[in-house]
């Protein structure tokens, strides 16, 4: 059997799973854009099932060993994208516990794939920070906002436009915890960029 395939799927089955993942993901995105969130959730769950089957057998921490195997990396990237999409739908629906679980799984996969200092990892950390704010977990959110800023500043520079959403969200959080001076400083920095 080909070493690139999971021990339980054949090449034609993998091709069908990839096609299904793409179909369900596209349908989920279209439903999301039309604000049909329940249908979007159903489609992203179907995409997740396909992605999990494709990535079956890969355990956390094994990705470094598989770095040269682009097919297995692609399987894990599909999984992380799907978890991110599902987490966004759950968050929007107020299903915060499910959103947090999906974000945490996504973060685990992205840390394995990309490491701690990567823009895709920063996206997941940012999404978790926003979720923690929704759950009024201010300390956790602040730690994550700081980490996202650190990663983006290191990779993109101090004045990149991708810092603006982080600065604005962080500022809003600081306002909510009555740290007005710090919030104003964040907002001013966002405006400068």
């Amino acid at each position: 059997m080909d070493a690139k395939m999971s021990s339980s799927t054949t090449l034609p089955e993998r091709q069908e799973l990839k096609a299904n993942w793409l179909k369900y993901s596209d349908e989920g995105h279209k439903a999301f854009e039309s604000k049909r969130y329940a249908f979007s959730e159903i489609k992203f769950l179907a995409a997740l099932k396909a992605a999990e089957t494709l990535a079956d057998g890969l355990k956390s921490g094994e990705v470094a060993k598989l770095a040269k195997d682009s097919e297995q990396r692609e399987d894990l990237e599909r999984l992380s994208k799907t978890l991110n999409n599902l987490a966004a739908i759950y968050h929007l629906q107020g299903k915060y516990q499910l959103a947090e679980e999906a974000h945490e799984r996504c973060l685990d996969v992205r840390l394995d794939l990309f490491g701690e200092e990567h823009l895709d990892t920063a996206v997941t950390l940012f999404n978790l920070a926003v979720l923690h704010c929704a759950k009024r977990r201010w300390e956790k959110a602040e730690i994550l906002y700081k980490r996202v800023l650190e990663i983006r500043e290191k990779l993109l520079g101090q004045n990149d436009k991708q810092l603006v959403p982080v600065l604005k969200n962080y500022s809003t959080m600081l306002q909510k915890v009555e740290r007005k001076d710090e919030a104003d400083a964040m907002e001013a920095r966002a405006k400068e960029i």
Side-chain angles (χ1 to χ4, degrees), residues 24-89:
Y24 296 138
S25 293
D26 286 346
E27 290 172 352
H29 284 292
K30 287 177 184 168
F32 181 85
E33 290 169 5
S34 334
K35 298 184 184 332
R36 295 170 48 220
Y37 303 127
F39 187 70
S40 180
E41 177 184 351
I42 291 166
K43 292 302 177 178
F44 286 140
L45 283 168
L48 179 62
K49 185 175 179 181
E52 287 175 330
T53 303
L54 285 164
D56 183 41
L58 296 177
K59 306 259 189 285
S60 180
E62 289 183 348
V63 177
K65 298 175 198 169
L66 305 170
K68 295 179 182 171
D69 187 336
S70 64
E71 187 169 351
Q72 287 177 323
R73 287 185 66 81
E74 288 173 9
D75 290 345
L76 289 169
E77 286 178 21
R78 277 185 203 89
L79 181 59
S80 77
K81 288 176 186 176
T82 306
L83 288 165
N84 185 65
N85 293 336
L86 195 54
I89 287 293

